[in-house]
């Protein structure tokens, strides 16, 4: 590999944390996907067994409400619980935030509209941005580079975003 002249880069601490973020964000993605399949049956059961919940929460289908239902089985338990107990139930979200704040400390969170979750997914999937030679390579890796259409004298008359890269 050394004789081939390839521009190899060493494995860094950022790479390790990117792998950890990738694992956490993929786990979160799979759990949300599973939850979506069960949404209608959960709604029916909650409306039958716990009709008071509609008046206590703004929306039923949120990860925090599902955690709340597993932790607090009745309306009286929910009403008597302290607010900090509800935030403790969101351990996955807290771990993602901790890694983003302490370990990664990326400026991606300064972009308007990029939250901790979205920033973590972008960083986790793309890895260390220093391994890309240009912004075009990052876009190509993300599947957002424009494809080129050439035929005779026509050049790029149907520019479409390519469908490749990490989903």
């Amino acid at each position: 590999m050394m004789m081939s002249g390839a521009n190899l880069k060493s494995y860094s601490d950022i790479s390790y944390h990117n792998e950890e973020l990738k694992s956490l964000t993929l786990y979160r993605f799979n759990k949300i996907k599973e939850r979506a399949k069960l949404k209608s049956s959960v709604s029916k059961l909650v409306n039958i067994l716990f009709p008071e919940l509609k008046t206590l929460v703004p929306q039923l289908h949120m990860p925090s409400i599902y955690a709340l239902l597993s932790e607090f089985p009745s309306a009286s338990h929910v009403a008597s619980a302290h607010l900090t107990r509800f935030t403790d139930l969101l351990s996955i979200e807290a771990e993602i935030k901790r890694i983003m704040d302490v370990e990664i400390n990326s400026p991606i969170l300064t972009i308007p509209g990029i939250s901790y979750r979205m920033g973590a997914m972008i960083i986790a999937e793309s890895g260390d941005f220093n391994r890309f030679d240009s912004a075009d390579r990052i876009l190509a890796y993300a599947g957002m580079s424009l494809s080129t259409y050439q035929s005779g004298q026509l050049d790029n008359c149907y520019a479409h975003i390519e469908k490749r890269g990490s989903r």
Side-chain angles (χ1 to χ4, degrees):
M1 288 172 58
M2 293 173 82
M3 291 176 62
S4 70
N7 187 8
L8 302 176
K9 296 181 181 178
S10 64
Y11 196 76
S12 65
D13 288 340
I14 293 173
S15 298
Y16 168 77
H17 295 300
N18 283 340
E19 290 299 319
E20 188 177 14
L21 271 179
K22 186 174 186 175
S23 175
L24 285 171
T25 56
L26 285 175
Y27 175 78
R28 182 181 177 280
F29 177 78
N30 288 333
K31 291 302 165 190
I32 289 173
K33 192 172 165 183
E34 289 174 18
R35 185 192 70 195
K37 292 178 183 177
L38 300 172
K39 247 182 165 180
S40 63
S41 61
V42 168
S43 294
K44 291 175 187 175
L45 289 173
V46 169
N47 287 334
I48 292 169
L49 300 173
F50 197 1
E52 303 91 1
L53 187 62
K54 285 183 184 179
T55 61
L56 297 173
V57 297
Q59 185 182 28
L60 177 63
H61 297 292
M62 299 186 321
S64 57
I65 301 303
Y66 292 140
L68 174 124
L69 288 171
S70 66
E71 185 77 20
F72 303 103
S74 70
S76 62
H77 285 94
V78 171
S80 64
H82 195 272
L83 181 61
T84 57
R85 182 66 188 123
F86 294 125
T87 58
D88 290 343
L89 293 173
L90 303 173
S91 61
I92 292 173
E93 305 287 335
E95 183 64 12
I96 289 173
K97 185 177 183 312
R98 185 196 69 76
I99 291 171
M100 289 294 290
D101 285 342
V102 177
E103 307 294 342
I104 302 291
N105 196 20
S106 172
I108 198 167
L109 298 176
T110 62
I111 299 171
I114 302 290
S115 66
Y116 280 96
R117 280 185 247 146
M118 182 59 68
M121 285 190 281
I122 291 169
I123 290 172
E125 287 299 321
S126 62
D128 187 6
F129 287 111
N130 293 327
R131 69 187 177 104
F132 295 102
D133 296 334
S134 66
D136 289 336
R137 297 227 175 168
I138 295 171
L139 289 173
Y141 181 79
M144 298 174 64
S145 62
L146 295 175
S147 61
T148 303
Y149 176 79
Q150 293 178 330
S151 176
Q153 297 294 326
L154 296 174
D155 188 18
N156 215 17
C157 63
Y158 298 110
H160 297 285
I161 291 179
E162 294 182 35
K163 303 209 176 5
R164 62 186 175 114
S166 177
R167 62 185 173 117

